[in-house]
Amino acid sequence: MEASEDRFWLLGHPSWWKLEEGEFPPSLRSGEIPLPEAWGGVGTNKTGWSRQRLRPLAWGLLKPSAWAPFFLIASSFPLAFPGKTPDDQALASVLFLVSWSLLIVPQLLERNSQPSSAGGVLSLPIDWKLLLVGIVIFPLHIEIDPRIGWISFSFFIASMMRSFVMMSDSFVIPPSRLVIPVDTGALNEITIDGQWNVLSDRWHRGPIATFETENGSLLISGNSRSGFDFVSLAYRHHTGFVQDCFFEGHPESETLSEILSSPPIQFEVAEWPSSFILPVLEE
């Protein structure tokens, strides 16, 4: 199955953008900036670096996230109209947990499915502070005043609204990374720019070097697919999600342009396997 999908590994699967049967994604999509000349050209050149598009986040996040506010609002009904269910508190708690699960769990799954991603639950674009304030205040409505419950609920609503804004800011840059094939059998050594934190001076599957930026980090790592070995370079947002290094309007575009004016890692590259090459269309 993996080998049959190799031809879509770089440009992305046509179904992600609902292209007609037989259509392939263009070599450059709207907003994508061509790789600098020092990287060896654009797209699927025989021996150059290439942009590898990852699955758009909307695929796994749009539907569950859209239902999250509904269940959050529904969790207030058993408390607003008490005595209508066998256990108002239990039902409200279940609906509340469902609402936030629909916002948090899909993000975790989508991030974990991205190669080169990282981070824990608390790094997700969720307003944890407002959510925590609401959770701390909520029990007080039982012992002090029922109206406090509505104050805490206002914090839950504000937290979810802020979370949607944070998610939008995090996902505005589509996910992709840069990859290049390498012949590990003929590889004697690799040279990495001195500014980078070098984790390994030899190629291996996993992290090789990192570079911290103001709002995230860059990661060089070794990867394999269908019997071929690669080196990849990815920008990881502070939320742990992967973002395109060369995209119009990137918040760190100035920093990334300076750091990535040329490849920070040097080694004897290999030619791109024909199974990864697709006929591409110019935008």
Side-chain angles (χ1 to χ4, degrees):
M1 180 65 179
E2 183 179 84
S4 65
E5 294 295 304
D6 284 347
R7 58 183 182 145
F8 299 126
W9 193 61
L10 293 177
L11 294 179
H13 201 284
S15 64
W16 295 350
W17 300 283
K18 299 182 179 179
L19 298 177
E20 297 293 333
E21 186 175 352
E23 288 186 315
F24 298 125
S27 57
L28 277 180
R29 290 184 58 82
S30 177
E32 292 177 346
I33 300 173
L35 274 59
E37 187 175 343
W39 289 76
V42 177
T44 52
N45 277 15
K46 287 291 185 179
T47 57
W49 287 80
S50 176
R51 173 185 275 111
Q52 181 198 4
R53 298 184 185 123
L54 307 179
R55 191 175 76 158
L57 292 169
W59 270 74
L61 297 181
L62 195 57
K63 288 184 179 179
S65 297
W67 279 101
F70 168 80
F71 282 96
L72 180 60
I73 294 173
S75 69
S76 68
F77 291 168
L79 304 181
F81 307 100
K84 303 295 184 182
T85 68
D87 192 329
D88 295 336
Q89 292 284 350
L91 179 58
S93 298
V94 169
L95 292 172
F96 179 83
L97 290 174
V98 168
S99 69
W100 286 100
S101 296
L102 287 171
L103 204 62
I104 296 171
V105 174
Q107 288 192 56
L108 279 174
L109 295 177
E110 283 297 303
R111 189 176 65 182
N112 290 342
S113 70
Q114 288 185 335
S116 302
S117 62
V121 175
L122 295 181
S123 66
L124 292 172
I126 300 292
D127 194 324
W128 298 106
K129 292 180 180 179
L130 287 178
L131 178 59
L132 180 61
V133 170
I135 292 174
V136 170
I137 292 177
F138 185 75
L140 300 180
H141 84 281
I142 300 175
E143 298 183 4
I144 300 178
D145 191 320
R147 288 173 294 184
I148 295 179
W150 294 110
I151 295 175
S152 66
F153 195 76
S154 68
F155 279 101
F156 297 144
I157 293 289
S159 175
M160 185 163 287
M161 292 177 64
R162 279 279 303 140
S163 297
F164 278 118
V165 172
M166 293 167 67
M167 289 169 61
S168 178
D169 291 342
S170 303
F171 305 155
V172 68
I173 306 298
S176 66
R177 61 179 184 170
L178 307 177
V179 292
I180 190 169
V182 57
D183 183 355
T184 55
L187 184 63
N188 295 319
E189 61 179 11
I190 56 177
T191 302
I192 303 176
D193 192 297
Q195 301 179 74
W196 287 66
N197 174 32
V198 178
L199 306 176
S200 173
D201 57 1
R202 301 181 63 84
W203 184 93
H204 70 282
R205 295 182 184 89
I208 295 175
T210 61
F211 189 104
E212 296 296 323
T213 64
E214 183 178 354
N215 203 36
S217 65
L218 289 163
L219 170 71
I220 296 174
S221 57
N223 315 101
S224 297
R225 181 180 174 90
S226 300
F228 297 100
D229 298 319
F230 301 88
V231 167
S232 66
L233 188 149
Y235 172 81
R236 297 190 297 196
H237 188 256
H238 67 82
T239 57
F241 287 94
V242 175
Q243 293 183 343
D244 195 327
C245 300
F246 297 107
F247 200 84
E248 294 176 1
H250 195 295
E252 291 206 80
S253 58
E254 191 172 323
T255 300
L256 293 177
S257 296
E258 182 179 345
I259 299 171
L260 303 178
S261 59
S262 61
I265 180 171
Q266 303 295 330
F267 53 88
E268 190 70 29
V269 301
E271 186 172 302
W272 272 99
S274 58
S275 58
F276 291 88
I277 305 299
L278 262 182
V280 297
L281 302 175
E282 296 301 328
E283 188 180 38

